């Protein structure tokens, strides 16, 4: 079993806010992350798949296919966008790194299975000081 | 003459848009950077000052003073903010990396002189693939 | 189950030395790491916790709380210190990256449980060429 | 149980090609990676071993021993070489990152056992956008 | 005057060899870099241009144009290629980082002038331990 | 004229302290950097030389020679040492990054001239947030 990781990047705006709370409560809980005028990040996405080495190609899957999938299903949808407003798969969901990571998992799990590999981990880096990982 | 550099970071939302143009023209020129719902970045700021080594301290200036200045005058004003809306020193200015870099220069040049050094360069990194530098 | 990681940094002096051995034997085993006048490193600490996403906040735990804990219990105690001499939780222990990693685990495990998450991994980077990880 | 990682680097040329296919088929499958005149990479190797902390030394194993092993058995054999032509342990094998990673595992597993530790992971980074990991 | 830098990457094979010397002399001078079976690198290219901020756009030049130029004139020509054999603009020239850097300068200087900026610096990183810079 | 840079690293202990001041005054000026039990850093050294490309070799100077010089004259003298105590060329000098940078310049300037190049810049990185540069 071999683990293969592809890195992609996107830049997006977001804010953290619970719509059932007033602004004061949101500011108390989420601090500067709740700025109603938004802030943003350079997100870095690492997707790890596992599988056997294909005997006639020497690789687990074609990284170009994995990269194409990530670009079409994730990066093109979220890059230079507002996570809270513009991204269909984040509609009515928390625009946190944790939830974003989990939603990306849901989108790419089946397509990766069709490529002949198994999704192992989605890692999403928000800043140089924090990141989340989801293993399903 | 010794050159001393301090790195600071901030995360902010912005968009590129010429208010005299309609949205179509803005999209044609600025592409996805003109998304009216904003996007954002993890900006990295490098400020370089030059000066003589102080004979009784062994340093050009106290990096703690330089860091404090940058935090109070720049980072606290712009971190987790919307550059186009929230930042007084960017009011009615382009929210581009170039203009932001130039405006940061204007704000910190005099205070650095008062510390006994000369501002040499403001470098602002927007993504791992692009940055700007301003030398006055 | 979501995994959330916070990065912190500290700069410290240390040496590797077995007090039951003479200096020649220490030099033979630990080489330049046994310099009795000390050397030092920029250590980078990665703390990973796991837990469920909180339904009303969208995160596992508040990263500000985790950062505050790490700063108060670890960074403030060890930053700009001598690991062999100045750090109470390292008293009479090996000032190696391995032992330091294990001791940091012991200090933060319970407080992280009180935050509602489970400590998963403490990773400590000593140089760009080596690091240790402890999973309890 | 403590996990200890050492990083090493090597620069090498390679190409991806199935000798049973003609050039057109190879180009169709492997794209620019099949250039018959070769291309190359700065590979970064991370080797992780696990073991107990030695009571009289404070470490799992001596990193100098691990580094020496990696240099003699891997780096000296492959650095500034052509992976398809020059490297005995890759003879008649795919010059892919996956296979290279697996072959490095086979070479170093026993020597690491003799050092008193267990090989846990071989990670091989080919570019900033992709890497593989093998756990045996 | 503002300085704007774009980063691009390419992976290529090369060797250092003076065709007027025999192999022994080449090995004596260039060491392992003269391996006749080639080795390779992940090259990182930084191109810095300077110019005035355009009053109706807020930038010096459109980074998309600069990136397109670099991709068409440099990256597409050299990526996944053999610098000594495959690259027309390196024909009969030294495949050293220095000469490569100078030749990239010659190719992009005029097109950058046509964009309304001035080429300031071409920086080419060969490994994490060495790079060259050319200012014309 | 081509600029060529070599990176080297060393790990060392130091403290900032003016021997003519009492400990209270030192602590007031230098803060935690004045800890009398030392702290330390992973220093990163970048040395840039300039010169013409040698017509029969394609390089400015042999990087192996530059690396050997830096290792013998700087790294071997200071790595895993205490800058205030162990390093002859820092005797009776400030153990600051600024002074260290200047002293490294003095040591390597003449040997680099003998190699046929001119020392252009010594850059010394103390942490990821600060560095100094000296151009003579």
């Amino acid at each position: 079993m071999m683990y293969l990781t592809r890195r992609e990047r996107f830049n997006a705006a977001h804010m953290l806010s619970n719509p059932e709370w007033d602004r004061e409560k949101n500011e108390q809980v989420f601090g500067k992350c709740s700025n109603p005028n938004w802030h943003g990040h350079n997100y870095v996405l690492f997707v790890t798949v596992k599988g056997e080495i294909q005997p006639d190609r020497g690789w687990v899957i074609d990284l170009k296919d994995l990269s194409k999938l990530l670009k079409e299903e994730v990066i093109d949808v979220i890059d230079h966008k507002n996570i809270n407003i513009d991204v269909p798969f984040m509609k009515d969901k928390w625009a946190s790194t944790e939830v974003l990571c989990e939603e990306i998992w849901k989108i790419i799990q089946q397509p990766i299975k069709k490529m002949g590999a198994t999704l192992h981990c989605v890692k999403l880096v928000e800043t140089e000081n924090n990141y989340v990982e989801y293993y399903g």
Side-chain angles (χ1 to χ4, degrees), chain A:
Chain A
M1 190 65 71
M2 190 67 59
Y3 295 76
L4 177 64
T5 298
R6 175 75 192 174
R7 187 182 84 119
E8 301 287 346
R9 299 176 307 109
F10 59 91
N11 309 318
H14 82 145
M15 86 164 96
L16 296 183
S17 165
N18 184 331
E20 296 181 6
W21 296 342
D22 62 13
R23 184 146 164 211
E24 197 181 50
K25 167 83 173 177
N26 272 303
E27 216 169 289
Q28 184 197 320
V29 172
F30 295 114
K32 58 187 181 180
C33 296
S34 70
N35 176 15
N37 288 333
W38 321 99
H39 68 283
H41 296 288
N42 300 344
Y43 291 91
V44 190
L45 174 68
F46 293 85
V47 170
T48 303
V49 306
K50 59 183 175 183
E52 303 292 336
I53 296 176
Q54 296 182 29
D56 62 340
R57 293 172 195 227
W59 61 35
V60 174
I61 55 170
D62 188 345
L63 266 176
K64 290 190 296 291
D65 292 339
L66 180 54
S67 176
K68 189 164 173 283
L69 169 71
L70 297 177
K71 280 196 176 115
E72 287 176 1
E73 300 299 325
V74 180
I75 306 303
D76 287 354
V77 181
I78 201 166
D79 185 38
H80 282 71
K81 295 287 168 59
N82 185 311
I83 300 173
N84 301 62
I85 299 175
D86 294 326
V87 181
F89 68 74
M90 292 299 287
K91 196 174 149 59
D92 298 329
K93 300 209 167 68
W94 291 101
S96 68
T97 318
E98 284 92 336
V99 172
L100 187 47
C101 192
E102 201 180 359
E103 296 303 316
I104 291 171
W105 173 284
K106 291 180 194 168
I107 290 167
I108 62 176
Q109 189 183 19
Q110 287 307 316
I112 284 169
K113 193 170 266 177
K114 281 179 196 152
M115 286 179 194
T118 305
L119 179 56
H120 174 67
C121 180
V122 175
K123 176 179 172 178
L124 192 53
V125 181
E126 194 185 58
T127 74
E128 67 180 39
N129 289 332
N130 68 292
Y131 61 84
V132 301
E133 291 159 301
Y134 185 58
Y135 297 85

